[in-house]
Amino acid sequence: MKVEIYVENTSDKYGIEALLSHLIEEKLQQGIRIEFFPVKGNNNDRGGNAKKDLLTKTPTKAVDIIRNNPTTIVVIMPDLYPQNLGFDHETIQELENGILENFNQVLQSKGITDNRLRERFKIFCFKHDLEALILAAESQLITVLGVNSLSRTWTRPVKDQNHNVPPKNIVEELFRRCGKKYKGTVDAPIILGNARYQDIAEQCPQAFGLFVEFLQNI
């Protein structure tokens, strides 16, 4: 069995792979290959093109993969932030509903009526972005920044952070205060690779926790 997980960019891929490395290896020993695929390589996509493509184009790709590979599950995992890209959405449920509607429209356009295909299409998200997991890994973040403590400016639990101040902006500001520049493809894997995914899932149960539970139960 194979699980293909589509995310927005390479920092999402590297960060989540580092955090889940033990779980990925455990599943591989069970004959389940978990792979992450970024839609875009540009991690400075402030315009949201990566998210829009993930929401609107990847469902078509997912249908083709699932139809041609009966042992493959496809997961789409965008950021919740920024809101209303691709279609109107502000909440996780609205995001999931919109992606599923796009997926169903592709099935209909291709004349596919086999409902079993929908069972191998899953939707999760980062709330509000990958950096929420970095803020949840506070002790590992402190180590990378080389400080003794952080002046916390974000909401606890981090999953309740609002759209106006996404976790990525907060992480970038923390790095700037320490005279550093945050680079997601480098810093995210280092920070998250030293954290326990179980601890992060416990702190982020609304989105990441559900994703971890899904992987554990495959």
Side-chain angles (χ1 to χ4, degrees):
M1 177 181 285
K2 185 177 182 182
V3 183
E4 295 190 7
I5 303 164
Y6 290 84
V7 295
E8 291 185 20
N9 52 52
T10 48
S11 61
D12 293 338
K13 168 183 165 66
Y14 296 155
I16 204 77
E17 282 178 341
L19 178 58
L20 297 178
S21 60
H22 295 299
L23 180 56
I24 292 171
E25 180 59 31
E26 176 185 322
K27 288 299 174 181
L28 188 59
Q29 298 302 318
Q30 299 172 10
I32 301 168
R33 180 178 295 277
I34 299 172
E35 294 188 41
F36 290 84
F37 299 91
V39 171
K40 296 281 188 182
N42 180 11
N43 293 291
N44 295 312
D45 179 27
R46 294 295 188 179
N49 291 327
K51 176 176 180 177
K52 187 174 181 180
D53 285 354
L54 187 58
L55 302 189
T56 61
K57 296 181 179 180
T58 308
T60 301
K61 184 173 186 176
V63 169
D64 293 337
I65 292 170
I66 294 169
R67 181 171 58 173
N68 296 323
N69 302 278
T71 60
T72 298
I73 296 172
V74 174
V75 177
I76 290 183
M77 193 173 183
D79 293 352
L80 182 57
Y81 174 86
Q83 59 193 348
N84 298 325
L85 275 179
F87 49 79
D88 291 342
H89 65 275
E90 295 185 15
T91 67
I92 293 175
Q93 191 60 57
E94 290 171 345
L95 178 62
E96 292 178 353
N97 291 344
I99 295 173
L100 187 58
E101 182 177 345
N102 287 342
F103 181 80
N104 288 334
Q105 286 177 353
V106 175
L107 290 179
Q108 185 176 12
S109 69
K110 292 178 178 287
I112 300 171
T113 58
D114 188 347
N115 288 329
R116 292 175 298 178
L117 268 66
R118 291 185 180 89
E119 296 173 4
R120 291 187 286 116
F121 180 67
K122 306 295 181 181
I123 304 163
F124 297 94
C125 77
F126 295 105
K127 188 184 178 188
H128 290 78
D129 50 36
L130 175 76
E131 283 71 24
L133 308 185
I134 289 177
L135 292 179
E138 190 169 331
S139 62
Q140 291 79 17
L141 174 59
I142 286 172
T143 298
V144 167
L145 291 176
V147 296
N148 294 323
S149 63
L150 293 175
S151 176
R152 191 176 297 129
T153 59
W154 60 92
T155 302
R156 291 288 298 271
V158 69
K159 58 186 172 60
D160 291 332
Q161 190 67 32
N162 64 51
H163 275 289
N164 296 323
V165 188
K168 184 173 183 178
N169 289 9
I170 297 169
V171 170
E172 288 175 338
E173 176 61 24
L174 290 171
F175 271 73
R176 279 194 293 269
R177 289 180 187 174
C178 296
K180 302 174 183 287
K181 183 176 181 179
Y182 173 68
K183 186 174 172 115
T185 52
V186 175
D187 297 307
I190 292 173
I191 295 167
L192 294 176
N194 287 311
R196 293 179 71 252
Y197 75 84
Q198 297 94 331
D199 295 338
I200 305 300
E202 185 176 337
Q203 293 187 64
C204 304
Q206 293 179 356
F208 181 68
L210 296 178
F211 174 63
V212 168
E213 183 179 2
F214 158 73
L215 293 179
Q216 289 174 325
N217 292 334
I218 295 176

